[in-house]
Amino acid sequence: MRAARLIKMVLLLQSRPSMTAGELARELEVSERTVTRDAQALSEAGVPVYADRGRAGGYRLVGGYRTRLTGLARHEAEALFLSGLPSALREMGLDDAASAARLKVSAALLPSLRDASHTAAQRFHLDAPGWYHDPATPELLPAVAEAVWDDRLVRARYRRPSGEVERELAPYGLVLKAGVWYLCARAGDDFRVYRIDRFTAVAVSGNRFVRDEDFDLPRFWDERAAQFARSILRTEVTVRLSEEGVRRLPHAVDRAAVDEALAGASAPDAGGLRTVVLPVESEEVAYSQLLTLGSEVEVLAPAGLRERFADTAERLRDLYR
């Protein structure tokens, strides 16, 4: 533990001109007294750590000293490619590996380039989860992530509406979609997608599986996502939209459904209105989605949905009368 901390301290000092005891203490998650003792230990071991006294003082390496401890371990190199997803790294338990990798890369750079990671981070940031909800980290995610990294089989219990099932899975890859984690895994001869928060138990095997080299995670996810989007659009509604309704429609319903509907829509009539047959998940979902368009949409069919909108319009008129 201390050896790893001493190495990290050297890498920190190598990547910056100097650091105060307080800054080092925060980075190393220790007290300033421990920083002082560690600096003394490094000095006694032959690492030229120099302490500048005074208000603007701090610790620095003397004479352009450079350590050769900059080689990336495999898990650090893999984690480095995910460093744009800090929250995802934390949830998978890889934040320490990514931090060590970034330090090693920074220490290996020329002095003029060492602030590159900071300047990039201040200009670009990826926030994966969606708005208006605080996603919970699945308790079993770190175990699943470990199996994915090491190509290890898992025995998992999965919660379905009909009850729990148990499967042996070859976990190929993880996907974070709008704050929800999914596992893409091979079950028998088929590749399937599982929501991580529906696993009730995961046991990581000591046995590894041989990956199918033809499997491409981004392509597989795109195909399954498109299939899923099509599969849930089981109902059709016919609506008449104003120009403003057409503009706002992609913000109210599924984008793929909008593209399909507008491709087959009628030309605008004399009043500028377009009649559209829209694929939707259900009448209930269509009601909640189309209601956001207000008077920019008129439901023509099915009759039950049109009657529901008419009833809502009557109640709104009475409410605001």
Side-chain angles (χ1 to χ4, degrees):
M1 181 70 178
R2 191 189 185 199
R5 190 175 71 241
L6 292 174
I7 291 171
K8 186 173 182 179
M9 184 173 179
V10 173
L11 291 172
L12 283 167
L13 292 174
Q14 185 172 312
S15 64
R16 306 178 195 181
S18 69
M19 295 182 70
T20 66
E23 290 172 336
L24 284 167
R26 285 191 295 275
E27 290 280 358
L28 300 172
E29 298 181 351
V30 295
S31 67
E32 293 188 24
R33 186 184 295 272
T34 299
V35 169
T36 301
R37 287 199 297 264
D38 285 353
Q40 184 177 351
L42 286 171
S43 182
E44 291 172 355
V47 178
V49 178
Y50 182 78
D52 291 314
R53 306 294 178 186
R55 232 171 158 184
Y59 291 92
R60 60 186 174 87
L61 293 175
V62 179
Y65 177 85
R66 295 180 65 80
T67 176
R68 294 183 180 273
L69 296 172
T70 52
L72 289 179
R74 180 177 179 83
H75 70 287
E76 293 170 343
E78 290 169 335
L80 188 61
F81 286 101
L82 295 172
S83 58
L85 290 165
S87 60
L89 284 168
R90 285 194 299 272
E91 292 176 8
M92 289 190 291
L94 295 172
D95 48 339
D96 287 342
S99 176
R102 285 192 295 269
L103 268 176
K104 290 181 178 181
V105 170
S106 181
L109 291 173
L110 293 171
S112 60
L113 299 177
R114 286 178 189 162
D115 66 341
S117 62
H118 174 74
T119 55
Q122 294 307 310
R123 287 164 175 78
F124 302 100
H125 177 69
L126 178 60
D127 184 11
W131 288 103
Y132 311 125
H133 70 282
D134 186 14
T137 302
E139 182 180 347
L140 297 173
L141 176 61
V144 176
E146 178 187 352
V148 169
W149 283 119
D150 291 343
D151 293 341
R152 294 189 183 275
L153 294 168
V154 299
R155 173 68 62 175
R157 291 189 64 81
Y158 190 74
R159 186 175 64 253
R160 287 181 172 176
S162 58
E164 288 191 357
V165 295
E166 186 170 313
R167 295 282 186 272
E168 183 177 67
L169 304 174
Y172 269 64
L174 288 167
V175 175
L176 177 61
K177 170 70 171 179
V180 179
W181 284 96
Y182 297 89
L183 173 67
C184 302
R186 191 180 67 217
D189 295 328
D190 299 326
F191 284 96
R192 301 180 182 178
V193 176
Y194 300 86
R195 276 185 62 142
I196 301 294
D197 58 7
R198 292 181 183 166
F199 284 120
T200 58
V202 172
V204 180
S205 169
N207 299 323
R208 286 187 165 88
F209 64 91
V210 178
R211 296 180 69 90
D212 182 349
E213 295 302 324
D214 293 331
F215 178 82
D216 183 278
L217 180 60
R219 185 176 68 233
F220 172 79
W221 177 259
D222 287 345
E223 291 173 354
R224 287 304 172 94
Q227 289 174 11
F228 175 75
R230 287 194 298 269
S231 70
I232 64 173
L233 302 177
R234 303 184 185 95
T235 304
E236 289 183 344
V237 299
T238 304
V239 297
R240 186 180 289 127
L241 294 161
S242 67
E243 184 178 343
E244 176 64 12
V246 171
R247 188 188 69 80
R248 288 166 49 187
L249 189 62
H251 303 287
V253 301
D254 181 78
R255 168 69 74 169
V258 173
D259 292 342
E260 179 182 333
L262 292 181
S266 69
D269 62 16
L273 302 177
R274 300 183 70 180
T275 300
V276 173
V277 178
L278 185 67
V280 294
E281 186 174 344
S282 65
E283 287 189 27
E284 183 65 33
V285 171
Y287 173 77
S288 62
Q289 291 176 335
L290 295 175
L291 198 60
T292 64
L293 300 181
S295 61
E296 306 302 330
V297 62
E298 178 190 359
V299 175
L300 302 178
L305 185 60
R306 179 178 174 85
E307 290 172 7
R308 188 172 180 183
F309 269 84
D311 179 63
T312 300
E314 289 283 350
R315 288 188 283 115
L316 284 172
R317 186 183 64 180
D318 292 342
L319 181 64
Y320 287 98
R321 182 171 278 170

